[in-house]
């Protein structure tokens, strides 16, 4: 009976304590006071859960907390008396509460203009070149750049930086190239030229210039990279800042410059060549004509459309985002060449900037694009007016052979939607991105030495203060990499640099290689050329199917990562020149694969499970349908995807039975395919032998 009585009393006491603690949690006054101490609603909830567990489960409470709880139970105390003990516990699980004032000062992002004293020390002239795609706005800014004694061009893509680098040197203006993965100096001895073309993340905010050009300023609102445009606009130390972009950004840039005391001169431009929206959709790939560009928003659609086009006896070029720059340029050259039989382009929105293309008609295969929202979540949305205009504007460019552009859709139902999208006014841009610097994170780490880098970033963002003109850019990719290498012993600065590396986290091979890079680096062991070759299994052979092609693209990204790190840790990544050589060779191999992309698709389908489309991962009933047009059109070998020079027997038999193919024509096609397949095998062997010979020569050296 005594034991039962004690248990009953314990349950009664626990129930009473739970009521008291829950009443404390629901007190709005307590939450407001805690918020002033740095506990926002999320942290308050987490701290309370921990505090409640501590009170209910610990065997012996501290004497002072025991007395307070007893007084409250007996009605001699107030529920609010728990607050000091709650905060004492909260500071044990959230150490930053003890230095909250200092942390708030460090994470105060309300006046980013003050981060750049060199720029604030001079009176800059800001000229905004505003206009649609193909209006000549960037051309006029570049002319001023070339005429200046010194200048810097800041672009969103390596391809654009390369274009200005080549244009400048061709015009007799010595210009260096600086991207995340490459440094090219025109001076053979390594001296810096007065002009430099760079990707915008790489621009210097301490070097003085006469003229600076910031291209595609509308990207200042990009949720991942917007901070780079904000940094360039506020921080470039140049007498003249030439900003190029959409008119929708004019008012925002003017307001932003008002905070620095600088005025903005606006120069408006109109499109140089007409571009019209057609009243009819294409509806069928049979209606394609020379100069057409079919725009897709996924690789799977790229593969599917290019396969169907070539099955009609037509050649097409292919461009998408994950292709190496050299391969993109090669495909663009193939499409632009009047002597080349390739007259059709299949591309993603990667053609929106960075490539000069002779396109007559833009055809939207879809109007839905996967996007990452502000919370870092993937979602499917109809393309915005700004995106649609950027892509549509590639038709009928002033410098191309087509002086007028046309825009339409593949599907009839999409055409009225596209017209409605293009008729809208582009939403004005009213916000710019910011990102914490390495110095700010280091100061955070000084106050919170036991916190992981990912936690430091979380705390920084939660405490950061920005005014209405700014937002903190999405840092999910940074945190992803920080969590991946958290167990590897690195100093904070090195860890931070590794986590800012631009890698594709969707590629498992790239992520695995990143992890191996960090581990080797932590051992203080240089990442040599031989080590990299073993990692990527170099030399590599041309792809046999789409899976191989995707892997080669991932290897190219890994070599890019090596080059990017080599400019930040030169001693630990000493063989950048050798790595760049094999990367160029890999680019050639990828180009060979993309030229034969239809054959790769067919090979992929042949090796896949019957009834499953390996490109879309969607089940389809029965065998793949065969187009009579394709058979009668006598396709080329690479269009067929048939293995080892012979037509699949079941397919051939079915075509003969259906009257779509005669036995004589079947035998003739088998001979042609066999002949072309042997020629292709010889070409592949020559490529492999060349790569092996280069490797042997390099090892001898």
């Amino acid at each position: 009976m005594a034991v039962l009585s004690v248990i009953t009393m314990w349950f009664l006491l626990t129930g009473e304590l739970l009521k008291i603690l829950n009443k404390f949690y629901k007190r709005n006054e307590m939450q407001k006071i805690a918020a002033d101490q740095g506990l926002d609603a999320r942290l308050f909830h987490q701290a309370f859960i921990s505090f409640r567990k501590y009170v209910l489960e610990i065997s012996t409470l501290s004497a002072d907390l025991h007395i307070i709880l007893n007084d409250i139970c007996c009605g001699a105390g107030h529920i609010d008396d728990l607050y000091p003990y709650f905060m004492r516990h909260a500071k044990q699980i959230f150490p930053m509460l003890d230095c909250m004032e200092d942390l708030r000062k460090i994470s105060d992002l309300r006046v980013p203009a003050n981060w750049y004293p060199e720029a604030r020390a001079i009176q800059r002239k800001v000229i905004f070149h505003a206009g649609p795609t193909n209006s000549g706005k960037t051309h006029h800014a570049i002319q001023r750049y070339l005429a200046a004694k010194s200048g810097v061009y800041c672009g969103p893509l390596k391809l654009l930086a390369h274009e200005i680098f080549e244009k400048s040197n061709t015009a007799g203006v010595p210009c260096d190239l600086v991207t995340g993965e490459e440094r090219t100096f025109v001076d053979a001895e390594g001296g810096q030229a007065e002009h430099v073309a760079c990707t915008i993340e790489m621009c210097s905010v301490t070097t003085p210039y006469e003229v600076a050009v910031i291209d595609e300023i509308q990207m200042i609102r990009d949720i991942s990279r917007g901070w780079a445009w904000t940094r360039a606009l506020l921080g470039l130390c140049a007498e003249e800042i030439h900003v190029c972009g959409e008119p929708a950004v004019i008012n925002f840039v003017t307001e932003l410059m008002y905070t620095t005391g600088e005025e903005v001169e606006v120069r408006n431009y109109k499109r140089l060549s007409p571009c019209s929206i057609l009243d009819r959709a294409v509806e069928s790939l049979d209606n394609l004509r020379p100069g057409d560009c079919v725009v897709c928003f996924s690789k799977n659609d790229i593969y599917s459309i290019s396969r169907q086009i070539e099955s009609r006896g037509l050649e097409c070029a292919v461009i998408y985002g994950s292709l190496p720059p050299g391969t993109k340029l090669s495909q663009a050259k193939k499409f632009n060449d009047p002597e080349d039989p390739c007259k059709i382009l299949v591309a993603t929105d990667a053609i929106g900037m960075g490539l000069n293309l002779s396109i007559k008609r833009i055809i939207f295969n879809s109007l839905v694009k996967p996007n990452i929202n502000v919370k870092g979540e993937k979602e499917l949305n109809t393309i915005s007016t700004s995106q649609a205009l950027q892509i549509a504007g590639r038709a009928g460019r002033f410098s191309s052979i087509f002086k007028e552009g046309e825009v339409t859709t593949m599907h009839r139902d999409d055409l009225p939607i596209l017209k409605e999208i293009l008729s809208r006014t582009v939403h004005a841009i009213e916000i710019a991105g910011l990102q914490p610097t390495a110095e700010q994170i280091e100061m955070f780490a000084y106050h919170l030495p036991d916190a992981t880098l990912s936690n430091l970033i979380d705390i920084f963002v939660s405490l950061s203060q920005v005014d209405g003109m700014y937002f903190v850019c999405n840092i999910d990719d940074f945190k992803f990499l920080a969590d991946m290498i958290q167990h590897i012993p690195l100093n904070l600065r090195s860890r931070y640099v590794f986590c800012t590396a631009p890698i594709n986290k969707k590629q498992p091979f790239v992520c695995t290689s990143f992890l191996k890079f960090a581990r080797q680096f932590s051992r203080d062991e240089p990442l040599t050329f031989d080590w990299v070759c073993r990692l990527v299994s170099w030399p590599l052979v041309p792809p046999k199917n789409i899976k191989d092609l995707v892997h080669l693209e991932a290897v190219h990204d890994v070599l890019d990562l090596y080059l990017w790190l080599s400019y930040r840790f030169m001693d630990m990544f000493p063989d950048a020149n050798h790595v760049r050589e094999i990367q160029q060779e890999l680019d050639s191999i990828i180009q060979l694969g993309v030229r034969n992309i239809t054959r790769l698709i067919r090979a992929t389908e042949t090796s896949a499970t019957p009834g499953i489309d390996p490109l879309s991962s969607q089940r389809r009933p029965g065998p793949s349908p065969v187009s009579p047009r394709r058979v009668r059109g006598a396709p080329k070998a690479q269009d067929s995807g048939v293995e080892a020079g012979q037509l699949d027997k079941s397919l051939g038999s079915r075509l003969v039975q259906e009257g779509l193919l005669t036995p004589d024509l079947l035998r003739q096609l088998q001979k042609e395919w066999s002949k072309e397949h042997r020629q292709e095998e010889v070409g592949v062997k020559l490529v492999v032998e060349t790569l092996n010979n280069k490797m042997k020569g390099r090892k001898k050296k």
Side-chain angles (χ1 to χ4, degrees), residues 222-261:
D222 187 88
I223 63 171
S224 299
R225 298 178 65 201
W227 63 269
W229 276 262
T230 305
R231 173 178 173 270
L233 184 59
L234 296 177
L236 280 170
C237 190
E239 297 170 25
E240 293 181 21
I241 307 288
H242 289 258
V243 178
C244 307
E246 298 175 0
V249 205
I250 293 175
N251 291 340
F252 179 71
V253 169
T254 303
E255 186 179 355
L256 205 60
M257 293 298 95
Y258 180 78
T259 65
T260 65

Side-chain angles (χ1 to χ4, degrees), residues 17 51 53-71 81-82 84-89 92:
L17 283 176
F51 180 63
K53 184 177 180 181
Y54 165 76
V55 171
L56 296 178
E57 295 183 5
I58 194 167
S59 57
T60 306
L61 284 172
S62 60
D64 52 354
L65 179 56
H66 187 281
I67 293 170
I68 288 295
L69 287 170
N70 187 61
D71 287 348
D81 295 340
L82 278 176
Y85 304 95
F86 166 74
M87 282 304 298
R88 183 173 69 186
H89 181 82
Q92 291 175 351

Side-chain angles (χ1 to χ4, degrees), residues 204-215:
S204 168
V205 292
T206 56
T207 305
Y209 301 101
E210 182 182 349
V211 168
V213 177
I214 304 174
D215 208 356

Side-chain angles (χ1 to χ4, degrees), residues 415-481:
L415 188 55
I417 300 173
L418 177 63
K419 288 184 176 181
E420 196 272 328
I421 291 172
L422 292 174
S423 67
R424 297 179 201 151
T425 302
V426 178
H427 291 303
I429 292 173
E430 300 173 338
I431 198 165
L434 295 173
Q435 179 171 281
T437 64
E439 292 76 18
Q440 289 169 323
I441 298 302
E442 280 183 335
M443 286 190 282
F444 252 56
Y446 173 79
H447 290 287
L448 304 170
D450 297 325
T452 66
L453 180 56
S454 182
N455 286 342
L456 286 174
I457 291 291
D458 275 338
I459 296 169
F460 186 98
V461 172
S462 67
L463 295 179
S464 61
Q465 302 174 73
V466 294
D467 70 16
M469 300 176 70
Y470 301 100
F471 70 97
V472 179
C473 284
N474 186 288
I475 50 172
D476 284 351
D477 288 351
F478 183 99
K479 288 175 57 185
F480 174 83
L481 297 181

Side-chain angles (χ1 to χ4, degrees), residues 313-329:
L314 303 172
E315 286 194 33
C316 67
V318 173
I319 295 175
Y320 51 86
S322 60
L323 286 177
T327 305
K328 290 177 185 173
L329 290 172

